[in-house]
Amino acid sequence: MWLLGLLVAPAVVLAFQLPFKVPFLKNKLDDVAAAPPRIAIIGAGAAGSSAAFWISKAKERFGLDLEVDVYERSSYIGGRSTVVYPYDDPSSYSPVELGGSIFVAANKNMWRASDEFNLTRTQWGDDDARMGVWDGEQLLVSVGGSWWDTLKLVWRYGVLSPKRTEHVVEQMVKQFLKFYTAESPRWDNMTDLASSLGWTELVSRSTADFFESQYIGKNYVREIVEASTRVNYGQNVDAIHALEGAVSMAAGDVAAIQGGNYQIFEAFIRASNASVYLNTTVKSVTSKPYASASQSWTVESDHGSKTYKAVLLAAPFHSTGMTLSPLLTSQVPEQPYVRLHVTLLSTTSPSIDPEYLNLPTTATPPSMLLTTYEGARNGGKEPEFNSISYHGKISDDEWVVKVFSQERKSDEWLRKVFRGQVGWVHRKEWDAYPVLPPTTSFPPVKLDVGFYYINAFEPFISTMETETIASRNVVDLMLNEEFGSSICGPRISASSERQLSLSEYYFPSRYPDNFVLGWDC
Ligand SMILES: Cc1cc2nc3c(=O)[nH]c(=O)nc-3n(C[C@H](O)[C@H](O)[C@H](O)COP(=O)(O)OP(=O)(O)OC[C@H]3O[C@@H](n4cnc5c(N)ncnc54)[C@H](O)[C@@H]3O)c2cc1C
Ligand SMILES: *[C@@H]1O[C@H](CO)[C@@H](O)[C@H](O)[C@H]1NC(C)=O
Ligand SMILES: *[C@@H]1O[C@H](CO)[C@@H](O)[C@H](O)[C@H]1NC(C)=O
Ligand SMILES: *[C@@H]1O[C@H](CO)[C@@H](O)[C@H](O)[C@H]1NC(C)=O
Ligand SMILES: *[C@@H]1O[C@H](CO)[C@@H](O)[C@H](O)[C@H]1NC(C)=O
């Protein structure tokens, strides 16, 4: 659709590309209440913190007078992206990610934010790391980076399956990068977004189905691709949709922020000047007709009530415990999340016990152990975990390790796997990501006038980066509908100045390569 955009007349383009309503000329009296209009953001994770940041960009560029309050139930900024310290000792150890850990170079908002906020990126993937795939009974694959390993892989899977997988992922990433261009789709309906990106088939078929339809070998899909969907989303290839399957396989230039990714989200909040209320749980949001025709929203938290012109919900709806009118609630379908058990531990064992993997005692198990469900599908034993990964040394002879599993791992189990050499243990249960079955129906991005739902994006793709993209879209939508503006200017105004901004909008080649929509406009 964005390609068509270059060819057709601006008015048509406008109708096609921007599902946003062109706002009616506002009754200025509405807006000139004594105080500037207020926006409430519920949640201070990737979505909420970046939403505050995008609003501040519009304020900074166009002098919009808006006050922003961010409500956060917990005591920190970052939500599902947060860190803990080995032995709970920040003075002796570097932090370890407890939730969202990595992003890739194609994640341009995270990348750009780390540049702008002077945060240090650590590149991931150390050369000695060995990766293995375990099926619950045997180690199917174990590879490092040598030519011999490559040969073993080729022997098992051939050359075409990896190549074709790469092709699927490349096509997906190519489309994904459109989100950062000036002609990025804007959407108020996720189904339409999927279709405009040519992703309807990807979201409506399972990863196994779709990848196999691309003539990618069944073994490769069920072992290698599944290892990826299981470590990234705790779901198997026959259950998770192919868009998220492809996202799972998109590696290359993997990075994390030294000291914790949450610092990006703190920096978003700091740069935004928004007021943040930590330890403050939103209990309900109710609509209250303004004196005039337009609407306002009352946000009631455990610290009192306040009235807003717009509300951005930046948390999974069903996790908020909030009360909304049935009219709003009924629009958001039940969304189960994957209950993930994260166990962080330190160990003096340089690898897991080879005997646990039915290997000879002299063998060195891989430092990154992934899993496939294929053994279990064929009547074998189910793996007892989704992944076990060594994350580097915390002292001369002690490593920190992450275990992801569907169930709690007992101390006894940990002792067995790590040869009795377990030091610090930290357990966390997360509602980590949505259960992501193939579908073409998604929650609404907008629940009512002035009430938006950023995490409607999650059943589509669930990552830190995509939450910052979803928030950019929602902020644009909200600024358009409520203030006749947008992050990059009042381009969709009812005035006749449309031509200039549209030309700017539709000719991305005038921008340098590193153009990132929202940052560079
Ligand atoms: C173990 C794990 C590993 C992951 N790995 C990766 C990874 O490597 N890369 C990646 O990109 N993503 C990863 N993810 C996913 C990523 O962390 C999430 O997609 C992203 O952080 C979600 O951000 P969010 O702001 O949408 O939601 P959240 O981070 O969940 O933020 C929502 C916030 O809203 C608050 N809130 C909820 N209800 C209320 C209320 N009533 N009142 C006030 N506040 C409320 C919550 O406390 C929370 O802070 C991982 C997630 C987990 C759990
Ligand atoms: C939030 O609560 C925690 C623990 O109850 C407390 O340590 C912290 O100081 C509180 N933070 C704020 C900003 O009130
Ligand atoms: C980042 O560093 C540059 C150069 O040292 C400096 O100009 C800039 O203000 C810094 N930005 C932030 C957000 O600290
Ligand atoms: C944030 O607040 C400071 C001080 O009040 C002000 O100087 C600055 O311009 C504000 N920045 C934004 C983006 O609103
Ligand atoms: C999105 O649009 C589709 C048609 O393209 C429609 O069937 C669906 O109900 C819409 N979804 C929402 C949440 O409005």
Side-chain angles (χ1 to χ4, degrees):
M1 231 180 254
W2 50 89
L3 288 177
L4 277 178
L6 288 170
L7 305 172
V8 289
V12 180
V13 170
L14 199 67
F16 253 112
Q17 270 216 290
L18 307 164
F20 304 175
K21 288 190 205 94
V22 173
F24 298 110
L25 284 168
K26 300 251 174 223
N27 177 351
K28 287 296 173 203
L29 284 177
D30 269 4
D31 300 339
V32 201
R38 284 192 295 253
I39 314 288
I41 297 174
I42 303 170
S49 64
S50 58
F53 178 74
W54 297 125
I55 294 172
S56 76
K57 281 287 177 193
K59 287 173 66 173
E60 186 183 295
R61 288 174 184 139
F62 309 107
L64 266 182
D65 200 8
L66 296 176
E67 262 175 34
V68 178
D69 289 342
V70 182
Y71 291 87
E72 174 51 58
R73 177 165 62 190
S74 67
S75 59
Y76 65 91
I77 289 166
R80 271 170 279 167
S81 171
T82 189
V83 296
V84 292
Y85 292 85
Y87 297 99
D88 305 316
D89 180 359
S91 60
S92 312
Y93 298 103
S94 302
V96 186
E97 295 286 0
L98 187 60
S101 303
I102 52 171
F103 52 95
V104 295
N107 294 163
K108 292 196 177 200
N109 289 333
M110 295 291 283
W111 211 266
R112 179 63 174 267
S114 49
D115 286 341
E116 298 259 342
F117 301 137
N118 296 334
L119 297 168
T120 307
R121 280 187 303 268
T122 54
Q123 299 292 125
W124 244 57
D126 91 60
D127 294 334
D128 307 335
R130 291 188 71 78
M131 188 276 281
V133 180
W134 166 251
D135 77 351
E137 293 181 10
Q138 53 172 327
L139 196 59
L140 302 179
V141 185
S142 173
V143 293
S146 73
W147 63 269
W148 173 240
D149 287 331
T150 308
L151 209 63
K152 281 193 299 188
L153 276 184
V154 169
W155 183 254
R156 188 172 182 89
Y157 302 112
V159 287
L160 289 177
S161 289
K163 269 237 154 333
R164 287 171 181 154
T165 301
E166 210 177 292
H167 180 72
V168 167
V169 173
E170 264 169 19
Q171 294 300 109
M172 184 278 296
V173 170
K174 212 171 113 194
Q175 289 299 77
F176 184 81
L177 290 174
K178 303 230 154 106
F179 281 125
Y180 305 106
T181 65
E183 62 279 14
S184 164
R186 266 76 167 170
W187 61 95
D188 57 8
N189 177 312
M190 299 295 304
T191 308
D192 296 345
L193 173 66
S195 133
S196 78
L197 288 166
W199 285 350
T200 301
E201 195 185 357
L202 282 177
V203 289
S204 61
R205 296 180 74 176
S206 75
T207 299
D209 237 23
F210 181 81
F211 279 62
E212 284 167 24
S213 79
Q214 303 301 300
Y215 303 100
I216 298 164
K218 212 170 154 167
N219 276 0
Y220 192 78
V221 174
R222 280 149 195 266
E223 293 171 13
I224 299 296
V225 179
E226 184 157 89
S228 228
T229 59
R230 284 172 64 85
V231 65
N232 284 306
Y233 292 110
Q235 290 161 73
N236 297 332
V237 286
D238 47 11
I240 191 170
H241 63 65
L243 176 59
E244 202 67 305
V247 167
S248 299
M249 290 298 287
D253 273 339
V254 175
I257 300 297
Q258 191 167 42
N261 296 322
Y262 75 92
Q263 294 168 100
I264 288 187
F265 309 125
E266 280 193 352
F268 275 147
I269 292 277
R270 209 176 309 121
S272 80
N273 269 3
S275 307
V276 183
Y277 301 96
L278 297 177
N279 295 339
T280 306
T281 303
V282 172
K283 301 281 190 200
S284 72
V285 181
T286 45
S287 76
K288 210 194 223 165
Y290 250 0
S292 61
S294 72
Q295 207 161 13
S296 78
W297 296 94
T298 301
V299 172
E300 191 208 340
S301 75
D302 49 4
H303 291 96
S305 299
K306 215 162 154 181
T307 299
Y308 297 89
K309 188 158 167 80
V311 174
L312 312 186
L313 177 52
F317 175 73
H318 298 285
S319 76
T320 60
M322 269 174 9
T323 309
L324 295 179
S325 80
L327 209 65
L328 299 185
T329 309
S330 64
Q331 294 177 55
V332 187
E334 266 314 316
Q335 176 58 66
Y337 270 67
V338 173
R339 190 77 179 167
L340 186 75
H341 291 250
V342 174
T343 310
L344 300 182
L345 58 98
S346 70
T347 176
T348 50
S349 174
S351 77
I352 70 174
D353 189 345
E355 284 188 64
Y356 176 79
L357 300 178
N358 305 323
L359 296 173
T361 49
T362 53
T364 306
S367 55
M368 168 76 117
L369 189 56
L370 308 178
T371 56
T372 167
Y373 196 71
E374 190 58 1
R377 270 191 292 263
N378 295 323
K381 246 172 73 183
E382 190 176 333
E384 295 178 305
F385 55 89
N386 295 349
S387 63
I388 299 181
S389 47
Y390 271 66
H391 281 262
K393 283 189 171 173
I394 56 169
S395 68
D396 284 346
D397 61 349
E398 197 173 8
W399 288 263
V400 65
V401 180
K402 256 187 215 189
V403 181
F404 286 2
S405 58
Q406 286 152 39
E407 268 137 30
R408 186 180 192 276
K409 293 289 111 183
S410 66
D411 291 346
E412 189 195 353
W413 190 86
L414 296 176
R415 275 197 301 273
K416 178 174 76 181
V417 171
F418 296 96
R419 300 191 257 212
Q421 303 169 39
V422 178
W424 163 74
V425 177
H426 181 99
R427 291 187 176 85
K428 168 75 184 173
E429 276 182 56
W430 287 110
D431 280 329
Y433 0 76
V435 175
L436 295 149
T439 183
T440 51
S441 113
F442 296 95
V445 173
K446 178 181 173 187
L447 299 181
D448 199 347
V449 177
F451 196 116
Y452 302 88
Y453 182 32
I454 300 175
N455 292 59
F457 204 89
E458 269 200 86
F460 192 67
I461 305 176
S462 173
T463 66
M464 297 181 284
E465 175 71 15
T466 42
E467 289 304 284
T468 70
I469 293 174
S471 74
R472 189 195 69 202
N473 180 69
V474 157
V475 166
D476 245 352
L477 187 56
M478 182 270 292
L479 291 175
N480 263 288
E481 294 186 334
E482 295 297 322
F483 304 99
S485 185
S486 81
I487 296 167
C488 289
R491 96 185 150 246
I492 318 168
S493 70
S495 82
S496 56
E497 288 307 312
R498 196 187 288 160
Q499 206 59 36
L500 181 75
S501 42
L502 272 180
S503 87
E504 184 181 52
Y505 194 77
Y506 287 115
F507 294 99
S509 56
R510 291 183 195 165
Y511 298 100
D513 270 346
N514 61 0
F515 177 91
V516 183
L517 182 61
W519 297 86
D520 303 305
C521 280

